[in-house]
Every structure is written in structure tokens, then in C-alpha cells.
Amino acid sequence: MKPRHKLLFVLCPMLVLGFIYYSSGKLHLHVWGQKPQREAEETTVVVLSLNKGAEVKRIAEMETDISVGRIIGSVYDKQGFLLQLDTKLPLDLTYKYGNLSEGACKPEYAANKMALIYPKFRKSAPMFLDQNYKRLHNVCTYMPPFGLKTQEKIIDSILSETKSYGLGEKLDSLSCKRCIIVGNGGILFNKSLGSRIDDYDVVVRLNEAPIKGYFKDVGTKTTLRITYPEGAFQKPENYEKDSLFVFSAFKQLDFKWLRHMVFKEKLRGIDGFWKSVAHYVPREPTEIRILNPYFIQEAAFQFIGLPFNGGAMGKGNVPTLGTVAITMALHNCDEVAVAGFGYDMNTPNAPLHYYETVKMSVIKESWTHNISKEKEFLRKLVKANVITDLTNGI
Ligand SMILES: *[C@@H]1O[C@H](CO)[C@@H](O)[C@H](O)[C@H]1NC(C)=O
Ligand SMILES: *[C@@H]1O[C@H](CO)[C@@H](O)[C@H](O)[C@H]1NC(C)=O
Ligand SMILES: *[C@@H]1O[C@H](CO)[C@@H](O)[C@H](O)[C@H]1NC(C)=O
């Protein structure tokens, strides 16, 4: 199809839908009796055939039917994702990427694909906080984990000490970055993906998933290690030398912990953590970053659709760190891959993590996370080719 025909093809249904939507809005006004004179005139055409009073209920039903059932429902799901996830590239992107040599990094690929299935997506959102963080979208209106409200003072002091806010000169200057988020799933075990993982420009690992002893399966390179206090390595020798320590806060107390780690202060009293935490992180302040909490907020409320709970942490509304990292990558990497995500529930004796012998059968109902809802979101990304899943667990 020629581009111009294609445009018409898209435009016509939109006009029709727009008209129906417009009309339903007018009906709505009429039904609830808020009809300023001009509105009433405009709606006469629609209302003429209707018998006032008795028909009111039917109009209300019709309106619900139109706006939810037929207009929104047929194209997008509740979260705003396209229902028909297509893996085909539209013409403009086929042109854009068609000329690249085989296997070359495709600029903005993940963000472009994401915007196709989720039109509300806006790429711009920095990976880490810098001293202008108060200008970031929405982060100062929510408390942790969804924002930074109440923690501004402590964050200001941490940022003035860390002084570095990017990925480092070499990676920041790359015009096209490929990232891989390595999950901790047992699904990575004995798959020999190590060298493929090392080929990515940015290798993101989570919490205390080790690489020592698992090079063949998980690779040797770590660009970022994202953790919260309870997930951080407790043994200093486990930290990789050339990786950035990226902190992700899930509660207010976490920032206090980070300040102790950055200023290398002795940690007294560890009440409030749900398991023992590291007392020392062997990284210089310039090797420490704070992850932009917008990714937690966006993953929870926009992408997955977890309960809003007044914008505060509540039952089943905190996304897992893995999904937060993927959300970060959609905004900051040109191509995004994942490995080690998902559990195979059909093999309960498979290991839960690639580095432990704990079996999958121990996986419990979690109070904070909603694994099944999260998986629905990740499935959309994989199905539409926004991200590539090297271990096919999603
Ligand atoms: C693709 O390459 C051809 C030949 O080098 C060039 O004429 C054309 O403009 C390129 N198209 C794009 C979209 O870059
Ligand atoms: C790992 O995979 C190899 C073949 O790819 C197989 O021979 C070996 O038994 C596997 N090891 C374990 C522990 O499953
Ligand atoms: C997860 O979400 C589903 C669907 O909204 C809900 O039924 C279930 O109770 C939630 N689970 C948790 C642990 O919150």
C-alpha cells in the first residue's frame, strides 16, 4: 500500500470513531441534565427520536456500551496497549532500519516499537537522578517506592557526594546502545548464554546474583548492578570492580541506608529491613547511582495496572526489580533484550535461581508483588518484539 493510501485507511476509521465518541459525549450531557442552551441545540438531532424520561436509562446503557465496549475495547486494552499485537514493522520504520547492515544496532528500536503498541509512551526519562531531579516528571509527588517525596534532603546530600550521574564517558557517547537485563531465574542454568550476554553494550544484573562460578551461563560483564538494601551483596569480595552500583529504593528507610554506604558511616540498628543488609559497599561515591523512581511508578500504574492505593505502597502494587529494570531500558536503550526471566511452573523441581538449589516449588504468594499481572505486561513486550527474550521464559 502507498503511504498516502495507508494514511487514509487509518484516518477514516478514526473519524468515524471520533464522531461516535463525540455523539456519546453529547448524550451524556443530556442524560444528566447539564444542558446549557447551545449544547441542547446541538444534540437535538440525536435526541429527537428518543422519548424523554423513559428512555433515559437506555441512553445511559448505550453510552456505556459505546464508550467502553466498542470504542476503547476493540482497539486498546485497559492499560492502553493495542489488543492486536503485531510484530510487523510499519513502512516508515522499515525504511529507517532497512538500510542498516545485518545485525547493526537499530537506533530507538525499542522505544519505536513500544510506541506502536502503547501510544502514550514517551521515551524521555533519565536512567539516574542528577542534581536537577526535582524537575523530573512526577517523582516529587509520590513517596517511595513511586517517588522521592520526603527524601529530598537526604538525596541532595548523596548526590553532592557521588558527583557522577551517567553511565560513563564511553557508553554515554555511543549513538546506539544495546542493553540486556539478566534476571536471576533458574531458566539460565546450563544454557551457555554467557558470551551472547557479554556482547551487549550494557549488561544489567539484579541484586546478589553472582557471576563468579557461572561465567559460561551468565557472562563476565556487569555494567550496572541494581539493588535495594536487602538485595545487596553482603560480602565485599562479590562486587565486580568495574560495575556501577545502582540503588533502587522501595521504602523511606532505604535512602538512609544509602547515605551510610555513600559516606561510609557505620550502620547502627537495622530495624525496619525485612532481612539483614550489607553494612559496607566497597564502591567509591562516584561509582554509585540512584535509579529514577519514575520507572517503578510507570511500571506499576501505567504498564501493569497495579492498584493505585492513593499512590502509596500497598498490597500487590510494587513491581519486581526485574520489571523496573526493563522499564528503565525501554527509555534509555536502543535495543533491549532479557534473559533469565520467568518460571516454568511445569517443572517444580527446577531451580528458582540459577545460583541456588532452592526449588521453584517454594515460590510463595507475595504480599508486595503481583507476578501474574506483571507477566501479562512482559508478554505483551515479547509478543510485539519490543524486547527479545533469550531464554523464552516470558
Ligand atoms: C538507503 O540507501 C540508499 C542507497 O545508499 C539511499 O539512496 C537511501 O536514501 C537510503 N534510505 C534511507 C532511509 O536512509
Ligand atoms: C548441561 O548441558 C549439557 C549439554 O548441553 C549436558 O550434557 C549436561 O548434562 C547438562 N548439565 C546439567 C547439570 O544439567
Ligand atoms: C493480582 O491481580 C489479580 C487481578 O487483578 C488479583 O485478582 C489478585 O488478587 C492480585 N494478587 C495479588 C497478590 O495482589
Side-chain angles (χ1 to χ4, degrees):
M1 221 187 295
K2 284 185 189 161
R4 216 176 50 193
H5 290 176
K6 189 155 181 173
L7 186 70
L8 281 174
F9 196 70
V10 174
L11 224 84
C12 289
M14 276 173 65
L15 281 170
V16 172
L17 290 176
F19 175 74
I20 299 174
Y21 191 74
Y22 178 74
S23 324
S24 78
K26 295 297 176 214
L27 281 173
H28 181 95
L29 282 172
H30 189 79
V31 168
W32 298 104
Q34 315 159 330
K35 41 170 178 180
Q37 208 48 49
R38 272 195 36 229
E39 296 282 351
E41 272 164 31
E42 282 170 23
T43 45
T44 39
V45 175
V46 187
V47 177
L48 261 178
S49 61
L50 298 169
N51 195 342
K52 287 186 190 155
E55 297 288 342
V56 166
K57 191 159 162 271
R58 237 178 62 196
I59 302 172
E61 277 166 11
M62 204 165 82
E63 194 224 343
T64 320
D65 181 37
I66 290 172
S67 59
V68 180
R70 265 177 277 154
I71 295 183
I72 298 165
S74 66
V75 186
Y76 297 106
D77 66 15
K78 246 183 8 210
Q79 291 327 121
F81 285 91
L82 214 54
L83 283 172
Q84 297 286 320
L85 298 175
D86 199 350
T87 53
K88 246 179 60 201
L89 277 180
L91 226 51
D92 56 335
L93 292 183
T94 308
Y95 277 132
K96 181 174 160 130
Y97 299 129
N99 266 8
L100 297 173
S101 55
E102 179 87 20
C105 177
K106 302 183 192 69
E108 316 248 292
Y109 184 82
N112 282 330
K113 294 277 314 190
M114 181 69 174
L116 285 176
I117 62 162
Y118 185 82
K120 280 185 281 181
F121 186 73
R122 296 292 172 270
K123 182 164 189 270
S124 155
M127 213 181 258
F128 309 126
L129 300 188
D130 64 20
Q131 285 173 312
N132 294 320
Y133 73 88
K134 284 172 189 132
R135 289 185 218 154
L136 292 177
H137 186 59
N138 267 347
V139 299
C140 290
T141 52
Y142 294 91
M143 307 249 273
F146 306 113
L148 306 166
K149 195 175 172 180
T150 68
Q151 302 301 303
E152 292 89 346
K153 240 172 92 183
I154 215 167
I155 291 169
D156 287 340
S157 82
I158 291 170
L159 291 177
S160 65
E161 184 72 8
T162 64
K163 295 186 179 72
S164 318
Y165 317 107
L167 280 174
E169 213 173 305
K170 205 167 134 229
L171 286 172
D172 286 337
S173 64
L174 272 187
S175 60
C176 191
K177 277 194 287 293
R178 288 176 149 148
C179 306
I180 185 161
I181 319 296
V182 184
N184 303 348
I187 201 163
L188 272 169
F189 182 72
N190 209 22
K191 294 234 165 67
S192 302
L193 284 173
S195 61
R196 273 185 78 188
I197 290 172
D198 283 343
D199 278 344
Y200 283 81
D201 303 303
V202 174
V203 178
V204 181
R205 301 187 195 272
L206 309 171
N207 284 330
E208 49 191 336
I211 55 170
K212 228 180 277 169
Y214 305 91
F215 291 151
K216 184 171 76 68
D217 289 332
V218 306
T220 59
K221 176 168 161 184
T222 306
T223 318
L224 313 176
R225 188 174 278 282
I226 310 181
T227 67
Y228 43 81
E230 293 90 344
F233 280 130
Q234 301 203 19
K235 290 192 184 133
E237 62 270 27
N238 282 335
Y239 287 83
E240 299 97 347
K241 270 216 168 56
D242 44 7
S243 71
L244 292 175
F245 179 88
V246 179
F247 170 81
S248 179
F250 281 86
K251 51 192 178 322
Q252 300 192 43
L253 183 64
D254 292 355
F255 282 103
K256 207 167 147 193
W257 175 86
L258 181 64
R259 192 183 57 196
H260 279 80
M261 297 304 111
V262 168
F263 289 93
K264 311 225 179 292
E265 293 163 355
K266 199 166 158 53
L267 197 63
R268 265 177 261 275
I270 47 160
D271 294 341
F273 294 108
W274 48 266
K275 81 191 245 306
S276 62
V277 295
H279 283 242
Y280 172 68
V281 172
R283 315 297 291 158
E284 291 306 312
T286 53
E287 299 164 324
I288 295 176
R289 304 284 183 276
I290 303 176
L291 192 71
N292 181 355
Y294 176 70
F295 307 127
I296 300 184
Q297 187 189 122
E298 185 183 41
F301 305 137
Q302 298 186 44
F303 294 166
I304 313 176
L306 298 174
F308 185 62
N309 193 39
M313 187 198 269
K315 185 176 183 301
N317 82 348
V318 180
T320 61
L321 194 57
T323 294
V324 173
I326 292 173
T327 303
M328 174 279 281
L330 293 178
H331 288 277
N332 289 282
C333 302
D334 296 277
E335 291 183 24
V336 180
V338 302
F341 276 77
Y343 311 104
D344 185 358
M345 288 300 178
N346 297 320
T347 47
N349 285 326
L352 181 61
H353 295 137
Y354 68 79
Y355 50 90
E356 284 176 339
T357 51
V358 179
K359 298 278 193 289
M360 196 132 62
S361 44
V362 305
I363 196 167
K364 291 176 288 236
E365 264 289 286
S366 162
W367 189 83
T368 43
H369 305 309
N370 194 327
I371 303 292
S372 58
K373 284 211 78 160
E374 212 167 277
K375 195 159 176 168
E376 281 171 29
F377 158 58
L378 296 181
R379 279 232 174 93
K380 293 174 202 170
L381 297 186
V382 171
K383 203 168 161 213
N385 259 332
V386 178
I387 64 175
T388 307
D389 180 10
L390 298 191
T391 40
N392 298 315
I394 292 175

